[in-house]
Amino acid sequence: MLKPLRHIGTAAASAALCALLLGLSTTAVAAGIKDGLKIAFLPKQINNPYEVIADDGGLAAIKEFKGEGKVVGPSDAGASSQVQYINTLITQRQNAIVIAANDENAVVPYLKKAMSQGIKVVTFDSDTAADGRQIFVNQANAEGIGRGQIQLVSKLMGGEGEFAILSATPNATNQNTWIKWMQEELKKPEYAKIKLVKIAYGNDDDQKSFVETQGLLQAYPNLKAIVSPTTVGIAAAARYISTSSSKGKVAVTGLGTPNQMRAFVKNGTVQAFQLWDPGQLGYLAAYAAAGLASGTITGKEGESFDAGKLGKRTIGPKGEVILGPPTTFDATNIDNFNF
Ligand code: RAM
């Protein structure tokens, strides 16, 4: 009799221990995060597939810590298109706004107004000037992204020839920062035979990016590559080139989502391109916003916060939190990614 009883006792004890551990781990997922936080995502544009994945990642995080999440935003990435949404979110008394800014400065006065009323502001994907937010959640180190794009295109061009950049909007903070680092990288002697002939802007609009691609090919008959550091631009450029006589002659690379680029890799239009996981970016940004809104962090360098399945993250200089390094996709690995 003793043995089974002891056995039951042990089972009960281990069940209790399990419950305790489970309880602890549930608390750990949302360490210090208040229930019911109202967090709004404000992407560059609501109809950009990249932004949709990022926002969905944010909403998944908000569900984990039992907040109330929502996504609002403009259909174009114009400099001031987000202002009216910020004003509405202030009126609605959101606890935090998570914004991918279309312009470094245009939204700042409105975000400052939000912060002065106790609403926490996190930028992600595309930053504002530092006084417009408390934390910037960056997809990867900006210098690394910019330099990496040149290293990749140089390889695809065999180290020489003309190339053009097809960017997003002329005011996009993220693309402009990456382009600045691309130009820095180009100063190195190993790129002496590579020439950047033009920076074109497709405004993160599919049709405009398509037409700009056509224009680049016409204006620069010797073009050997187009680098498009925007998921909208690279997909439009690849679509144009895939059915043109430039296919196989002009390399297309940049930053794209594997799901949008898969067909172009398979049909030989694109050899390699890069990105990070946009869903993880939104997820991390939501946890940063929750930490600020719960008072567990203030945005100062050195503070750490719990980011759910992404673990503990630490705030770096200038309130920046970095997700991680980008991945290079090509025919050998693209099928391992579904976003
Ligand atoms: C587009 C947007 C976004 C950028 C990606 C790479 O979807 O411009 O801001 O991070 O491309």
Side-chain angles (χ1 to χ4, degrees):
M1 281 304 283
L2 258 180
K3 231 180 173 181
L5 269 179
R6 290 237 319 259
H7 181 70
I8 290 163
T10 313
S14 59
L17 185 65
C18 271
L20 185 70
L21 286 175
L22 275 175
L24 281 179
S25 72
T26 312
T27 321
V29 166
I33 297 179
K34 292 181 183 161
D35 271 2
L37 290 177
K38 292 202 281 179
I39 300 180
F41 269 69
L42 178 40
K44 278 181 165 181
Q45 311 151 269
I46 39 164
N47 48 348
N48 172 342
Y50 170 97
E51 304 280 332
V52 172
I53 306 169
D55 299 338
D56 283 350
L59 293 178
I62 295 168
K63 203 168 164 199
E64 275 176 13
F65 55 72
K66 302 187 178 63
E68 270 177 54
K70 70 169 173 179
V71 181
V72 293
S75 54
D76 71 279
S80 13
S81 59
Q82 293 168 311
V83 167
Q84 56 168 307
Y85 294 93
I86 299 172
N87 284 335
T88 307
L89 295 172
I90 294 174
T91 316
Q92 292 170 348
R93 310 282 328 133
Q94 295 288 314
N95 294 105
I97 297 173
V98 183
I99 177 173
N102 279 325
D103 187 275
E104 193 178 356
N105 300 308
V107 286
V108 169
Y110 307 91
L111 294 175
K112 276 186 173 167
K113 185 176 159 206
M115 288 189 286
S116 75
Q117 298 191 18
I119 299 173
K120 304 301 175 188
V121 176
V122 171
T123 51
F124 81 130
D125 181 46
S126 186
D127 200 10
T128 56
D131 57 347
R133 46 69 175 173
Q134 277 128 336
I135 289 178
F136 169 41
V137 179
N138 199 352
Q139 36 271 64
N141 173 281
E143 177 175 351
I145 296 174
R147 292 191 188 276
Q149 292 276 286
I150 293 300
Q151 288 151 13
L152 180 57
V153 74
S154 168
K155 229 189 274 174
L156 297 172
M157 295 167 70
E160 59 179 53
E162 296 181 350
F163 83 100
I165 293 174
L166 174 64
S167 191
T169 58
N171 40 282
T173 327
N174 52 344
Q175 273 89 11
N176 286 347
T177 311
W178 300 333
I179 291 170
K180 195 193 88 196
W181 285 114
M182 287 189 213
Q183 288 168 322
E184 263 321 295
E185 180 71 7
L186 278 173
K187 290 180 185 161
K188 290 185 179 170
E190 59 256 51
Y191 306 113
K193 291 189 184 149
I194 291 186
K195 191 174 172 211
L196 171 60
V197 290
K198 168 96 179 167
I199 302 174
Y201 297 94
N203 291 353
D204 268 353
D205 174 272
D206 175 71
Q207 266 316 302
K208 177 149 170 59
S209 305
F210 191 81
V211 170
E212 289 292 329
T213 304
Q214 185 180 31
L216 287 172
L217 295 171
Q218 278 164 4
Y220 302 97
N222 297 323
L223 206 64
K224 280 184 78 179
I226 293 177
V227 178
S228 187
T230 140
T231 59
V232 178
I234 192 177
R239 195 170 80 250
Y240 184 86
I241 290 188
S242 67
T243 60
S244 81
S245 57
S246 300
K247 184 179 168 195
K249 294 184 199 135
V250 179
V252 181
T253 189
L255 303 172
T257 71
N259 285 353
Q260 281 188 286
M261 300 307 290
R262 196 175 327 275
F264 303 117
V265 169
K266 304 255 173 186
N267 74 16
T269 308
V270 173
Q271 279 186 46
F273 63 98
Q274 302 177 315
L275 201 70
W276 42 86
D277 183 336
Q280 287 189 357
L281 177 68
Y283 182 93
L284 182 55
Y287 269 96
L292 286 172
S294 303
T296 59
I297 49 172
T298 63
K300 277 204 199 75
E301 180 176 357
E303 291 175 344
S304 295
F305 61 99
D306 187 351
K309 64 183 179 200
L310 294 177
K312 196 171 141 191
R313 296 296 176 122
T314 303
I315 302 171
K318 296 181 190 153
E320 187 172 330
V321 177
I322 292 183
L323 176 65
T327 303
T328 301
F329 308 100
D330 59 22
T332 66
N333 68 356
I334 193 160
D335 286 335
N336 303 334
F337 298 91
N338 185 20
F339 56 78

